[in-house]
Amino acid sequence: MQSFNSIRENIDKFESVIGYNFNNREYILEALTHSSYSNENRKFKYNERMEFLGDSVLGLVISDHIFKKEKKVPEGELTKLRANIVCEGSLSEAAKKIDLGKYILLGRGEEATGGRERKSILADAFEAVIAAIYLDGGIESASKFILNNLSNIIKDSIDGKIFRDYKTQLQEELQKNGTSNIWYKLLEENGPDHNKTFKMMVGVDEKELGIGEGKSKKEAEQVAAKAAIAYLIDNER
């Protein structure tokens, strides 16, 4: 277990990195505490509740930003754009840029197995930090942190420069709910051999989740998975 002095120094350094000083440090302490550390040190609250709140604040800020910035983009495309920005890959990238993994309180086992570099831990902690800032300083402070740290990802997503492995992302999203029985089905195959287009459907169990088209089956599966992610996000509201 780290001493309280070392934890205080850890928070001091992190505040300097993110450019925000907390009035109530209990918020950021909880945000930086992984469940593995809490299991070993019962006095510490772990960050899963903060992550829950941070996810909602993040979704609101990004939705508001792209709604105002992309005035001609229809609702369906805005949903897909938001999904690309708030996904685990984007958040873990942003977390790495501020060395968030260095400041997370991890249990010994998680530390030994590379937890500080694990995408899921980094993305969850990033959302928890958002919640901590929101609780401590309100929506304006949280919005400033989000837009400062995701600005490049937002721009690249709008410009279509970011490719995500949507199939993997969809699988990760469904596995959070204990579901992994994903299937892809070819619906249509059109055009001559040198210029074919494919339409694929993705679903889980008996439920259809999304449809996509592409110049290959793999491309169509990626587009279908992206549509499925947007569908799942919409139905979480």
Side-chain angles (χ1 to χ4, degrees):
M1 177 178 172
Q2 294 185 32
S3 69
F4 283 106
N5 282 339
S6 67
I7 291 173
R8 190 179 299 114
E9 288 174 7
N10 190 55
I11 292 175
D12 286 342
K13 291 176 183 176
F14 186 63
E15 286 181 332
S16 177
V17 168
I18 65 173
Y20 182 85
N21 294 314
F22 286 85
N23 297 304
N24 184 345
R25 286 191 160 189
E26 291 296 320
Y27 292 136
I28 190 58
L29 178 59
E30 184 175 342
L32 293 175
T33 302
H34 188 257
S35 58
S36 61
Y37 190 87
S38 178
N39 289 338
E40 295 175 6
N41 307 279
R42 296 292 182 179
K43 292 181 180 179
F44 290 78
K45 295 179 181 177
Y46 56 89
N47 63 11
E48 289 179 8
R49 279 173 52 85
M50 301 289 272
E51 173 203 339
F52 163 79
L53 177 59
D55 177 70
S56 296
V57 176
L58 173 65
L60 173 62
V61 170
I62 294 300
S63 296
D64 178 72
H65 180 75
I66 61 177
F67 176 82
K68 292 174 179 175
K69 186 175 180 63
E70 300 299 303
K71 297 183 185 299
K72 296 182 180 180
V73 176
E75 183 271 341
E77 290 303 311
L78 287 175
T79 298
K80 294 174 186 177
L81 182 58
R82 181 186 59 199
N84 203 27
I85 295 168
V86 304
C87 71
E88 183 178 281
S90 293
L91 299 185
S92 62
E93 282 177 28
K96 286 179 180 178
K97 287 180 180 178
I98 58 174
D99 287 328
L100 180 54
K102 187 167 133 183
Y103 302 99
I104 299 171
L105 297 175
L106 286 177
R108 290 186 294 271
E110 200 65 63
E111 178 90 56
T113 55
R116 294 193 186 280
E117 297 296 320
R118 190 163 294 128
K119 283 185 177 182
S120 58
I121 289 178
L122 290 173
D124 291 348
F126 190 84
E127 290 181 330
V129 170
I130 290 170
I133 295 173
Y134 169 73
L135 290 170
D136 190 75
I139 191 65
E140 288 187 11
S141 296
S143 181
K144 182 179 178 182
F145 172 80
I146 292 165
L147 297 178
N148 282 348
N149 287 285
L150 291 175
S151 59
N152 290 337
I153 290 171
I154 293 169
K155 184 179 185 305
D156 287 346
S157 295
I158 290 172
D159 293 343
K161 293 180 181 178
I162 294 180
F163 169 76
R164 298 291 180 201
D165 183 354
Y166 294 107
K167 290 179 68 175
T168 299
Q169 187 182 329
L170 176 61
Q171 186 171 348
E172 290 172 348
E173 194 66 32
L174 290 169
Q175 284 176 341
K176 289 179 183 177
N177 299 320
T179 306
S180 58
N181 185 25
I182 305 168
W183 49 263
Y184 290 86
K185 178 182 177 182
L186 176 64
L187 297 179
E188 292 180 15
E189 182 177 334
N190 298 307
D193 289 342
H194 68 280
N195 191 28
K196 280 188 177 294
T197 59
F198 300 86
K199 181 182 285 187
M200 301 291 296
M201 175 186 288
V202 62
V204 59
D205 298 324
E206 302 297 320
K207 187 174 184 179
E208 300 170 2
L209 295 179
I211 294 174
E213 294 187 21
K215 294 292 186 182
S216 68
K217 290 180 181 178
K218 287 185 177 180
E219 181 182 350
E221 286 176 352
Q222 288 286 350
V223 177
K226 185 178 179 181
I229 292 166
Y231 170 83
L232 291 173
I233 289 174
D234 269 356
N235 281 274
E236 284 177 357
R237 295 180 199 172

